[in-house]
Amino acid sequence: MAVTVIVGGQWGDEGKGKVIDFLAEKAKMVVRFSGGDNAGHTVVNPHGKFRLHLIPSGIFYPQVTCIIGNGVAVNPSVLLEEIETLRRHHMDMSRLFISDRAHLIMPYHTLLDGLEEERRSKGALGTTRRGIGPVFADKVSRLGIRVGDLLHKDIFLSRLKSALEFKNDILTKVYQVPPLSLEEIYERYCHYGEQLAPFIRETSSVIHQAVTKGELVLLEGAQGTLLDPDFGTYPYVTSSSPLVGAGSVGAGIGPREINRAVGVFKAYITRVGGGPMPTELKDEIGELIREKAHEYGATTGRPRRCGWFDAVAGRFSSQINGFSDIALTHLDIYDDFPSIKICTAYKFNNRVLDSFPSDSSILEKCQPVYEQLSGWQGPTSEIRDFEKLPAGARNYIARLESLLSCPISFVSVGAKREQVVEVKLILSN
Ligand code: GDP
Ligand code: IMO
Ligand code: MG
């Protein structure tokens, strides 16, 4: 039994791609289990620099089978482009499989995502406009079209016909924009289907086989815990669950098969899009973090909002995911900082809250209560042994461990694969 789930502990972009690209060296399989191409996972390794939106970050190892699980929403045009890019870099794509149960992002999903955002006007959520809300809404309202449908043109045509009839009514009558053409979408998606056919299959049984053999399987999360539709800052959330618990459903294996759950956290915190963020720094420190870490969205290029580490949100995230380990990234970004703050509680209406409120309108009004630690003012990017980290850095890590009540087993000190201080071997049982 060796299934490890790796998810974002904050608002996404914690460095999941980096961590998985490092850990996958020991794995036999990496499975993406949620989200869609709203995700952008950056991997910097000897093959180059890649921004993966759908293909699991384990694709760079020849022994790793990569699976796009049933919990993912697939935009076939984005996926084909990604396959092409990786082929150009000589990656063997015969190790990639796509679940026939994964839902397809259709042209009306991306169109409606944009129209819904414009309709919200000042209340816009700041989505990535990749069609994520609309595709997952269709999935649960049983109007979705799945990857497997592409293999049966007659079934695909009849599903597309009934969905498009309804969507065109919304487009023309609610949004007053021109309808989409059935023939055009049908032709285009049939062409995608022909190209994707060799990759499509029932994948939960493939994963089950690997699990039964005791092979190391990594489940790759997308987004971050605070964007979860249930536990995140609703309504400023995404539309599929990024939690450890969703790993089992989104890959199709029983929860009891999972034996490790790794939460990836940045040494600070970022958020892209709208919604409350108590520790946001709208000053030169926030600007400094953004420029030093190049905090611009991997999917949309938007500047990310930056702030001090929020341990109230972090503790909550650790609790609802049940992390066994934490992977802390971007420690190097603090290398020049004379002092560093951590938010340990919130103040709301003259009361101190030490738990994460479920209501975004309350979180919006929360003032962070900070604890200040001294920085280490020395380079960490070349360090690989925990003991060799400056005392201030070790102290910072220890404080986060204690605030989150979870061991930090992995520390990343740069974007490249090898820039890792592995504190403990997190993949050993
Ligand atoms: P993901 O969505 O969680 O995979 O994260 P992103 O790829 O969207 O954003 C993380 C960014 O930080 C990418 O540009 C990574 O190359 C980079 N990165 C990852 N880990 C580190 C680190 O420890 N230090 C620094 N400086 N950059 C890192
Ligand atoms: P990775 O996997 C950071 C955010 C969007 C927006 C909200 C809803 O790279 O960490 P959506 O398009 O999902 O309907 O947008 O969620 N968001 C992300 N933020 N990283 C991501 O993915 C994100 N995926 C979605 O910015 O606020
Ligand atoms: Mg990202």
Side-chain angles (χ1 to χ4, degrees):
M1 196 172 71
V3 181
T4 294
V5 191
I6 297 146
V7 304
Q10 297 164 320
W11 274 295
D13 302 327
E14 298 90 350
K16 298 176 290 295
K18 149 81 196 250
V19 173
I20 290 158
D21 176 59
F22 180 91
L23 296 179
E25 188 187 359
K26 299 180 184 123
K28 276 283 165 56
M29 187 175 276
V30 182
V31 186
R32 255 289 297 274
F33 67 81
S34 69
D37 62 300
N38 50 347
H41 296 179
T42 315
V43 168
V44 186
N45 62 25
H47 303 281
K49 179 175 178 173
F50 302 86
R51 286 199 173 118
L52 301 169
H53 299 290
L54 287 164
I55 296 182
S57 306
I59 195 71
F60 302 96
Y61 296 99
Q63 86 286 0
V64 174
T65 297
C66 284
I67 292 185
I68 298 177
N70 53 279
V72 179
V74 175
N75 183 326
S77 116
V78 174
L79 177 56
L80 284 164
E81 215 171 278
E82 214 161 289
I83 290 173
E84 207 31 56
T85 306
L86 290 164
R87 273 196 179 130
R88 276 203 303 276
H89 284 83
H90 313 293
M91 294 304 139
D92 166 22
M93 288 295 125
S94 67
R95 298 174 286 111
L96 175 70
F97 300 113
I98 310 160
S99 167
D100 53 2
R101 290 186 170 91
H103 278 246
L104 282 170
I105 295 187
M106 304 299 293
Y108 43 82
H109 293 133
T110 38
L111 183 59
L112 284 165
D113 196 356
L115 291 167
E116 286 168 13
E117 276 290 85
E118 275 146 37
R119 188 159 174 263
R120 287 183 197 110
S121 180
K122 278 195 185 121
L125 306 176
T127 75
T128 58
R129 301 193 177 212
R130 298 302 178 107
I132 302 302
V135 72
F136 284 111
D138 276 1
K139 175 177 176 174
V140 292
S141 57
R142 295 156 293 192
L143 196 63
I145 304 178
R146 307 199 294 180
V147 168
D149 296 337
L150 292 175
L151 302 176
H152 311 283
K153 290 188 180 172
D154 48 338
I155 296 176
F156 176 61
L157 181 61
S158 90
R159 299 224 155 113
L160 177 60
K161 241 185 205 159
S162 54
L164 195 60
E165 221 167 79
F166 179 59
K167 298 295 173 184
N168 273 340
D169 270 354
I170 297 174
L171 290 172
T172 54
K173 294 177 186 161
V174 177
Y175 290 104
Q176 278 142 26
V177 298
L180 296 175
S181 149
L182 174 69
E183 291 69 31
E184 198 272 324
I185 300 177
Y186 177 69
E187 299 276 309
R188 185 144 59 97
Y189 273 66
C190 283
H191 185 54
Y192 293 149
E194 284 154 20
Q195 295 172 82
L196 290 175
F199 302 100
I200 303 172
R201 64 173 63 187
E202 201 293 309
T203 51
S204 77
S205 51
V206 182
I207 304 169
H208 185 72
Q209 267 177 24
V211 172
T212 309
K213 280 196 236 158
E215 292 176 347
L216 177 61
V217 175
L218 305 182
L219 303 187
E220 174 171 348
Q223 290 74 56
T225 297
L226 304 174
L227 290 169
D228 180 71
D230 283 287
F231 292 100
T233 46
Y234 195 87
Y236 298 94
V237 293
T238 190
S239 302
S240 68
S241 175
L243 305 181
V244 165
S248 143
V249 180
I253 54 168
R256 290 188 306 133
E257 308 290 0
I258 296 169
N259 67 335
R260 296 208 93 101
V262 181
V264 185
F265 287 79
K266 273 177 178 156
Y268 45 94
I269 200 164
T270 61
R271 173 162 210 173
V272 59
M277 180 180 173
T279 64
E280 181 172 10
L281 290 163
K282 293 181 176 162
D283 57 7
E284 65 282 2
I285 302 175
E287 192 64 29
L288 182 70
I289 295 175
R290 178 156 45 250
E291 293 315 313
K292 226 184 141 199
H294 199 70
E295 291 291 359
Y296 293 88
T299 299
T300 58
R302 290 177 292 177
R304 294 175 182 150
R305 300 154 67 191
C306 301
W308 297 117
F309 191 95
D310 184 336
V312 184
R315 200 156 48 225
F316 175 68
S317 167
S318 191
Q319 241 172 54
I320 57 172
N321 282 296
F323 293 136
S324 58
D325 304 78
I326 283 172
L328 187 71
T329 65
H330 295 80
L331 187 75
D332 53 296
I333 299 303
Y334 276 159
D335 282 357
D336 307 326
F337 280 54
S339 61
I340 297 164
K341 288 183 182 168
I342 303 176
C343 166
T344 53
Y346 299 146
K347 251 199 186 148
F348 174 70
N349 277 350
N350 291 325
R351 274 188 306 127
V352 173
L353 302 183
D354 58 4
S355 61
F356 193 70
S358 48
D359 183 341
S360 279
S361 65
I362 293 180
L363 189 63
E364 193 73 68
K365 296 186 193 101
C366 283
Q367 293 301 314
V369 176
Y370 286 121
E371 169 179 309
Q372 184 160 317
L373 278 76
S374 44
W376 47 92
Q377 296 191 286
T380 55
S381 292
E382 302 307 318
I383 297 174
R384 303 289 174 264
D385 298 327
F386 182 73
E387 285 70 31
K388 294 196 177 135
L389 283 172
R394 280 183 279 135
N395 199 25
Y396 184 64
I397 294 168
R399 186 64 188 130
L400 293 185
E401 273 190 333
S402 136
L403 285 165
L404 271 53
S405 305
C406 184
I408 295 179
S409 312
F410 179 110
V411 180
S412 172
V413 288
K416 291 185 193 153
R417 181 188 281 173
E418 68 275 12
Q419 291 182 298
V420 169
V421 179
E422 219 177 344
V423 184
K424 284 162 223 129
L425 256 187
I426 66 177
L427 296 180
S428 58
N429 285 326

